[in-house]
Amino acid sequence: MHPTDRRKPDHPDAAALRAGLTPAQARAIATLEQFGWTLRFVRRPLFRDPVPVLFEKAGSRWIVVDGDGGLDENPGFEIRD
């Protein structure tokens, strides 16, 4: 018997994704969404700022928003399919 996959394919509530983000991250995400980027998920490492991950409209590129609102195209981790 295989364990069930804990990743949820459904898109979570937008308010739940944004909960706990820094004000700078929230402003950066709002700006990016105007250009067609979509907030897909937020990594929440212990004792560090949350790491929101956004994908472009086509889904081929992704970026993260740092705690100060800066954008990082090479955050040092890979995303699973």
Side-chain angles (χ1 to χ4, degrees):
M1 180 174 187
H2 296 284
T4 59
D5 190 0
R6 294 185 308 177
R7 291 178 286 172
K8 298 176 183 162
D10 299 328
H11 296 289
D13 180 29
L17 281 176
R18 288 168 171 74
L21 297 180
T22 66
Q25 285 175 320
R27 286 190 302 272
I29 291 169
T31 301
L32 287 167
E33 287 175 332
Q34 292 176 355
F35 291 99
W37 290 80
T38 304
L39 176 62
R40 289 254 185 101
F41 63 91
V42 179
R43 295 181 71 192
R44 299 189 186 274
L46 289 175
F47 310 113
R48 296 191 4 217
D49 287 332
V51 181
V53 179
L54 291 93
F55 283 78
E56 73 173 343
K57 201 180 291 186
S60 59
R61 288 181 46 207
W62 57 276
I63 59 173
V64 301
V65 181
D66 295 329
D68 63 356
L71 305 179
D72 188 357
E73 292 186 45
N74 299 309
F77 61 86
E78 295 294 321
I79 295 182
R80 297 181 288 192
D81 290 330

